[in-house]
Amino acid sequence: MSNSIGHNLLHQSLLCSTVLEHQSKLNSSGIPANSLFQAATTNQAARKSPISTKFYGANLKARKPKLAMGSRRSASITPRAVLAVDSASEQVAGKFILDGNIELQVTVSAPTSGSIRLVNIQVSYGSDSLLLHWGGIHDRKEKWVLPPRQPDGTKNYKNRALRTPFVNSGSSSYLKIEIDDPSIQAIEFLILDEARNKWFKNNGQNFHVKLPMRKNIQNVSVPEDLVQIQSYLRWERKGKQMYTPEQEKASDKFSCAKIEEYEAARTELMEEVARGTSIEDLRARLVKKNGHEIKETSVHEMKNKIPEDLVQIQSYIRWEKAGKPNYSPDEQLREFEEARKDLQSELEKGVSLDEIWKKTTKGEIQTKVSKQLKTKKYYRVDRIQRKKRDLMQLLNKNVAKPVEKYEISVEPKALTAIELFAKAREEQDGGSVLNKKIYKLAGKELLALVTKPAGRTKIHIATDFKEPVTVHWALSKKGGEWLAPPSTVLPPGSVSLDGAAETELRSSSSSDLLYQVQSVEIEIEEDSFVGMPFVLVSGGNWIKDQGGDFYVDLVYRSKQVQKDAGDGNGTAKALLDKIAEKESEAQKSFMHRFNIAADLMEQAKDAGELGLAGILVWMRFMATRQLIWNKNYNVKPREISKAQDRLTDHLQNIYKSQPEYRELLRMIMSTVGRGGEGDVGQRIRDEILVIQRNNDCKGGMMEEWHQKLHNNTSPDDVIICQALIDHIKSDFDISVYWKTLNDNGITKERLLSYDRAIHNEPNFRRDQKGGLLRDLGNYMRTLKAVHSGADLESAITNCMGYRAEGQGFMVGVQINPIPNMPSGFPELLQFAIEHVEDKNVEALLEGLLEARQDIRQLLSKSNERLKDLLFLDIALESTVRTAIERGYEELNNSGPEKIMYFITLVLENLALSSDDNEDLVYCLKGWNDALSMYKSKSDNWALYAKSVLDRTRLALYSKADWYQRVLQPSAEYLGSLLGVDQWAVNIFTEEIVRAGSAAALSLLLNRLDPVLRKTANLGSWQVISPVEVVGYVAVVDELLAVQDKTYDRPTILVARHVKGEEEIPDGTVAVLTPDMPDVLSHVSVRARNCKVCFATCFDPNVLADLQANEGKMLRLKPTSADVVYSEVKESELAYSSSTKLKKDGASPSLTLVKKQFAGRYAITSEEFTSEMVGAKSRNIAYLKGKVPSWVGIPTSVALPFGVFEKVLSDNINKAVVEKLQPLKKKLKEEENSALKEIRETVLQLAAPPQLVQELKTKMLSSGMPWPGDEGEQRWQQAWMAIKKVWASKWNERAYFSTRKIKLDHDYLCMAVLVQEIINADYAFVIHTTNPSSGDSSEIYAEVVKGLGETLVGAYPGRALSFVCKKDNLDSPLVLGYPSKPIGLFIRRSIIFRSDSNGEDLEGYAGAGLYDSVPMDEEEKVELDYTSDPLITDGNFRKSILSSIARAGSAIEELYGSAQDIEGVVRDGKIYVVQTRPQM
């Protein structure tokens, strides 16, 4: 019976190991703290054994924290019998004199029966507010216990003490306490007069009164199995409290509590035996109570009983031999029994207990234990073992859709009196405003307006205060200066002072004003003054600008002048107007702001992406201190916390229901903080008092901070707390305190601006160091729990559970762990916490990302604790970013493998936080392949990695563009409404990007890029058009923005962005860019045709140097792989033929012959002639039957020249003609906006029936499908495509291009080539002479996945490029792998290609100027090159590229000249869709 009861006790975690040091080692080895291997007894610890120093020490060490009852040293607890006082009479335990003449007397009486002790306390002090603040003490324990038997009126004080009211009897007060717990050896107390907040102490310490016991029970012993049963019964009586392993591991307090429980049970039984109860009766009573029967035990069995502690040692040895598995509770009990059998077997062999002791402690007991497979450890000590995952499981395609126009009712906001006053003065002074700012002051407004009419500076100061106001002011010639104003500028009634002046504001009224405004006008003629500092005086009070002077700039500073709010395009304008309307209320406190935000969340959700962007911008302005946090409004921390909780609940609910907004919601949550109901916020108030009391620091800075915390806590308090910790750790270096504050944006002025200002610096004693570090560290947990959404430790605590441990911190807090967390997750989080400050961050990054991966699935499911999981994930994400930044140094001497691995980690972090992450996931897969290629020593690893790097950069640009598009308009509009500093508005999106993983990833890419270029022999340049030139350097942001400009001197354009479809401006001799347009893009072809140097620069340092030469004249000498540049003198310009600007007459003389309608609306390829169609159509017809049979040529028909004009002249389109005539006239008058209107008008054309019939006949006779057979709608799609081709005659690029070379635009005719679309696997463009080097023995080609529009259009990224010698067409050489993220794919369809008479004129490259339009819209697909055989299968790649090269060679041979060829690959077969002479 006793054994089974003992096992039950052990299973329930009641009993403590007799050696805490050994227990900690067991825990660190992997045994749960509630395992069966904890010892069951304490009195057997004195047994001598060879392992006593390891397993069973001589005493128990319990470290005790400092508590409210005073300071005592840690006790060394030796298990022993308890000595009681044998006295039945009442005796005086002590007399004390309090506060001069107040007498305190305490008497105690020993129990006469049972175990109740009486304590009588009498004070010669009559008061109705006198309280006894008290608790019990176990044997030599410092921590107070709260006796269950308590006098009437007793209240529990924060689970740390009891407070019992005294009975007032006139001149004195008395109190009687009964103690029935025999384990309580003494009571300690203080006396509090609550009304006077006065404490009575015993010379600064607690009063300590020992309690008597009935008789000497030193020689009484009780069997351990009975103690175990009694301990179990006590545990049952107290509600069977359970503890998690984490709580048990947290400190030694849990272990000591178990010792106390066990010893209390022993004491109860010893007293009962001392009173005369026999052991047999005791056993019978306990067994009956516990519902068990006891068998008769023979004397022999009693003598040979195996001691429990010996069984435990044998259990531990068995556990070690088995490989330290993680046993379940049932397995623990089974192992315990097996250990007992091992020992019993030895006993039955005749071995004595002493010999068994020796053999056991030496591990010599024979045992049958097979080495078990341990439950797989989740991580090693130094590194976690990451799970193998399919990266495609990371994929999110949650794209926000545009929201239909929504309405939010916003009351029209009437102008305030101050705004009306400002408007009137601006109009009066002619609108010449230098500076203007309206300050919000306790519900009132203050205007500072500076105008400059007629060269004189006027300063208007006005306020709507009802009380008289005086402005105390001066002038400045430099910032921060106070100079007495000259008497000539003083308004009437002013008083000159030393270094200043005072002027009373005068009341002014107007019929336009709602009520009176007080104002003063100061006029200054001297321009040497740059500013005016001032403060206000009203009712004897100084009114300042957040603790500092107001300051008005008297000179125009563009950076500080706020932009006009504008029309709010690109924003949820109505919502932002509502926010601006509510801002004055929100400024009262965080509670007000968060509650207002919560009220607006439904409206923000209805507004979609832009609505949530508006909330984010608002919260971000708050977090960066651009908005007022608190304005003369006291609010309790728990109220702030509750408001935070309400707002984050709304955010959590939207997160659940609308995954397309999750990225924005995460960003909002990270600015708001966690919050929490009830005491989570109130602890901020309570615990600062604990710090002050524990450490005797109640004045100075700490008291000022205490007052600030009580008035209105804010995220600044986290920084202040950290600054204090850093200050103390630095041995009280005050400069460290200020550095921490300043590094985080808190200046002395900001400390003074709080409603409860902090004036003093910290001033601690050296003996306070340990206690302050401990208590401030604990307090930081509380502050972060409320204010820090991204704090890892508090986020982990919130998810994994927490129970208060006393010490005055986190009192009353109990957070339950989130259920159904992934297996091994707590250990993973523990690993992260233990390694979070490691200098070498690789293992930490792996652990953090493994944790993010583990909870990813939980974040997509409904969970009542989703908010806590979100804050944990945000904290993990943030910690990855900070770790990466700390780890840059680790990469200084690292090779490319480690840098690439770090890139994968940061990219994974970014993908885990993104709503639409498909491109990022494919980039991540690409980096993993690059790493594999590097490890396998592939020759092309660097070339491949460079393509992945380029694609990753494009993904980052796309991410930044999304932020700019979604957030910046809201930042600009709301910032202007709220008066946010313009600099903060300007950099809003930039700072968002910098704060995320994208910035860290960009830095890693920049570090790797030169390594890859060097390894792959790419150099710093890719030269697209190698022309030597001399010109003046001009730096532009986009080539597109200047494509219509004409430079009047030879110009080298350094353009940050080139898409590929732009025109090159007149006067340009070179275009240099970091962008990577395809070698065969329109701008590349145009550069080569016009003999303009065109090159991509990969080295940011070289590019920066070129930009630094802006305005200087440089000579560029390009080769096929490099550009050498040097500065030249003006005189050299005349000798460079390349610098001569082409005059109008120098342009080649080009003329167009206007084509006429030939009487046919449609023709087959056999009918293609130069009078009917352009070169594009004729060339494709010429190839048919002449190229090798393995080269396919698509079937073609055409709408010949003149058909457009014929359709336009048809009576059914008379109205269209009438619209076009005035538009063409506008165009001739240089109104280029008419181009778009003309295109839109052309699309209104109707198709003559004869055209429809002829086109149908020709298409069907050529074997092409007729769209109309699928219904009228399909024909209308085809007709619209035809009209779009015709309308492209008026696209901007084509129009300006023809105008530059003086072509008559009216003579430009457009035929339409009609072909069936081949749904391509790949598309290619071939130049049969290498365009970069001019080498005619070498074919150059580019290949993209999908349709060729991504190759010839302005799609970002590079194609796969290769060269092939014409004498060795089976050996293509890859020059670059693809980085284009997008491929275009289409269903079986028809394409209508432009074929004008202006595309192939000699000396003019018109190709690509006009549009080719498919009948159906192409599908954009994110490309995964890691599954593309063209990239992954070398044999397949060689076969396809060789076939492309052979097709190019055959067509060049057919024409006898270099060709520019377009084609596609479908199922391995080559198709050529067009060819033209290579320009």
Side-chain angles (χ1 to χ4, degrees), residues 876-889:
L876 290 166
E877 176 197 14
S878 175
T879 309
V880 171
R881 295 199 308 265
T882 56
I884 277 290
E885 290 163 7
R886 191 169 72 249
Y888 287 143
E889 186 179 342

Side-chain angles (χ1 to χ4, degrees), residues 677-829:
E677 278 286 353
D679 287 344
V680 179
Q682 186 59 28
R683 292 200 313 273
I684 290 178
R685 281 187 167 191
D686 296 340
E687 292 175 12
I688 186 63
L689 297 172
V690 175
I691 296 173
Q692 290 182 282
R693 181 175 65 244
N694 283 358
N695 300 281
D696 189 25
C697 51
K698 297 182 179 178
M701 178 268 171
M702 289 297 286
E703 180 57 28
E704 290 172 339
W705 188 32
H706 164 214
Q707 293 300 324
K708 185 241 182 248
L709 289 159
H710 272 237
N711 184 54
N712 210 306
T713 183
S714 72
D716 279 6
D717 296 313
V718 177
I719 299 167
I720 293 171
C721 187
Q722 188 60 56
L724 290 173
I725 292 171
D726 293 346
H727 166 63
I728 296 165
K729 284 183 176 178
S730 68
D731 203 24
F732 303 98
D733 184 345
I734 197 63
S735 67
V736 173
Y737 168 76
W738 284 111
K739 183 178 187 305
T740 300
L741 291 179
N742 293 336
D743 286 351
N744 290 279
I746 298 182
T747 61
K748 188 172 185 178
E749 291 71 26
R750 183 161 183 82
L751 294 175
L752 293 172
S753 73
Y754 301 140
D755 282 354
R756 297 291 187 271
I758 298 178
H759 300 85
N760 291 296
E761 295 179 333
N763 184 20
F764 301 121
R765 302 189 309 271
R766 294 196 177 277
D767 64 313
Q768 295 171 310
K769 183 173 183 177
L772 281 170
L773 285 176
R774 177 197 65 223
D775 290 350
L776 286 170
N778 286 330
Y779 193 45
M780 181 68 90
R781 180 193 295 173
T782 296
L783 290 170
K784 286 182 174 179
V786 173
H787 293 302
S788 298
D791 175 62
L792 183 59
E793 186 176 356
S794 60
I796 289 175
T797 299
N798 233 40
C799 288
M800 303 316 299
Y802 179 84
R803 186 188 297 272
E805 296 177 2
Q807 303 180 54
F809 295 93
M810 308 290 277
V811 171
V813 179
Q814 179 171 340
I815 302 170
N816 294 322
I818 295 176
N820 303 319
M821 296 294 270
S823 174
F825 194 62
E827 293 84 356
L828 189 55
L829 294 179

Side-chain angles (χ1 to χ4, degrees), residues 368-384:
K368 294 180 179 179
V369 177
S370 59
K371 186 79 172 181
Q372 297 184 25
L373 268 178
K374 294 182 286 182
T375 300
K376 188 172 182 180
K377 284 266 189 166
Y378 202 76
Y379 59 85
R380 305 190 305 277
V381 174
D382 59 336
R383 196 166 197 143
I384 64 109

Side-chain angles (χ1 to χ4, degrees), residues 422-597:
K423 183 179 180 182
R425 292 300 176 271
E426 288 175 40
E427 292 172 354
Q428 173 185 304
D429 293 343
S432 54
V433 178
L434 291 183
N435 280 296
K436 171 186 171 183
K437 187 162 186 179
I438 296 177
Y439 300 88
K440 307 291 184 180
L441 303 173
K444 301 295 182 181
E445 292 184 326
L446 168 67
L447 167 70
L449 172 67
V450 183
T451 62
K452 197 162 187 175
R456 297 169 300 164
T457 302
K458 284 188 178 183
I459 307 164
H460 300 277
I461 304 296
T463 181
D464 56 0
F465 278 45
K466 293 182 179 178
E467 303 80 11
V469 176
T470 298
V471 58
H472 180 87
W473 62 286
L475 294 173
S476 304
K477 292 188 176 182
K478 58 183 180 181
E481 191 174 52
W482 277 68
L483 299 175
S487 58
T488 55
V489 306
L490 295 178
S494 298
V495 178
S496 291
L497 304 172
D498 184 17
E502 285 191 350
T503 305
E504 186 175 346
L505 272 60
R506 305 291 182 186
S507 295
S508 59
S509 61
S510 165
S511 59
D512 294 333
L513 302 185
L514 300 178
Y515 45 84
Q516 279 194 336
V517 169
Q518 301 181 61
S519 66
V520 65
E521 179 183 303
I522 301 168
E523 188 172 314
I524 302 172
E525 294 186 0
E526 188 178 340
D527 286 337
S528 60
F529 294 111
V530 298
M532 172 183 155
F534 69 94
V535 294
L536 303 179
V537 186
S538 180
N541 296 318
W542 292 93
I543 301 170
K544 297 186 176 184
D545 181 16
Q546 298 187 33
D549 300 333
F550 296 100
Y551 186 81
V552 182
D553 268 315
L554 304 184
V555 293
Y556 177 76
R557 301 185 190 276
S558 59
K559 194 174 181 180
Q560 295 181 5
V561 176
Q562 279 175 5
K563 292 181 181 177
D564 183 75
D567 55 12
N569 282 342
T571 73
K573 182 178 182 296
L575 174 68
L576 299 187
D577 289 338
K578 191 84 169 179
I579 289 172
E581 178 189 320
K582 296 284 188 181
E583 176 59 27
S584 59
E585 176 76 7
Q587 290 178 356
K588 290 181 179 179
S589 73
F590 281 119
M591 178 193 73
H592 290 82
R593 188 176 298 280
F594 294 146
N595 277 328
I596 291 169

Side-chain angles (χ1 to χ4, degrees), residues 1191-1378:
V1191 177
I1193 305 295
T1195 302
S1196 306
V1197 300
L1199 281 72
F1201 292 140
V1203 172
F1204 168 68
E1205 289 77 12
K1206 179 65 175 175
V1207 170
L1208 196 60
S1209 64
D1210 197 292
N1211 284 334
I1212 61 174
N1213 291 312
K1214 188 175 180 180
V1216 176
V1217 173
E1218 291 174 355
K1219 290 181 183 178
L1220 281 175
Q1221 286 174 346
L1223 292 174
K1224 288 182 177 180
K1225 185 177 179 182
K1226 284 172 64 177
L1227 190 60
K1228 286 183 178 179
E1229 294 170 353
E1230 303 294 321
E1231 290 188 42
N1232 296 332
S1233 61
L1235 287 168
K1236 182 180 179 184
E1237 295 179 75
I1238 290 174
R1239 292 197 302 271
E1240 291 171 348
T1241 304
V1242 168
L1243 299 184
Q1244 298 171 20
L1245 288 170
Q1250 189 177 348
L1251 180 149
V1252 179
Q1253 185 58 47
E1254 286 190 28
L1255 182 59
K1256 177 180 180 180
T1257 301
K1258 296 296 184 183
M1259 289 181 69
L1260 290 174
S1261 66
S1262 299
M1264 297 174 66
W1266 170 242
D1269 288 344
E1270 298 178 54
E1272 177 62 21
Q1273 182 184 356
R1274 293 291 288 161
W1275 158 245
Q1276 290 301 327
Q1277 282 180 250
W1279 176 237
M1280 180 58 70
I1282 293 169
K1283 292 187 289 184
K1284 285 180 179 179
V1285 174
W1286 285 335
S1288 70
K1289 173 179 174 179
W1290 285 275
N1291 72 49
E1292 283 76 8
R1293 190 179 71 184
Y1295 179 77
F1296 293 129
S1297 178
T1298 55
R1299 196 173 66 171
K1300 281 181 183 179
I1301 62 168
K1302 310 300 182 185
L1303 281 177
D1304 188 335
H1305 193 261
D1306 287 340
Y1307 278 35
L1308 187 80
C1309 294
M1310 187 77 69
V1312 180
L1313 176 62
V1314 185
Q1315 294 178 321
E1316 189 173 1
I1317 290 180
I1318 299 165
N1319 193 3
D1321 299 321
Y1322 305 100
F1324 59 82
V1325 172
I1326 307 168
H1327 278 196
T1328 58
T1329 291
N1330 189 328
S1332 296
S1333 64
D1335 186 351
S1336 61
S1337 70
E1338 191 172 66
I1339 289 173
Y1340 175 88
E1342 293 184 344
V1343 185
V1344 294
K1345 193 167 178 62
L1347 298 179
E1349 181 60 24
T1350 59
L1351 185 55
V1352 298
Y1355 284 81
R1358 300 296 292 273
L1360 182 147
S1361 59
F1362 73 96
V1363 292
C1364 196
K1365 291 294 183 182
K1366 293 175 183 175
D1367 60 1
N1368 189 8
L1369 294 173
D1370 288 327
S1371 300
L1373 175 64
V1374 174
L1375 300 180
Y1377 286 93

Side-chain angles (χ1 to χ4, degrees), residues 154 378 444 637 661 836 877 933 937 1255 1430:
T154 299
Y378 202 76
K444 301 295 182 181
Y661 302 141
V836 75
E877 176 197 14
M933 292 172 71
K937 300 182 179 178
L1255 182 59
L1430 191 66

Side-chain angles (χ1 to χ4, degrees), residues 1424-1445:
D1424 179 8
Y1425 290 114
T1426 64
S1427 60
D1428 182 355
L1430 191 66
I1431 309 303
T1432 61
D1433 186 336
N1435 292 330
F1436 178 82
R1437 179 170 60 247
K1438 180 180 178 181
S1439 171
I1440 294 296
L1441 301 189
S1442 295
S1443 296
I1444 291 171

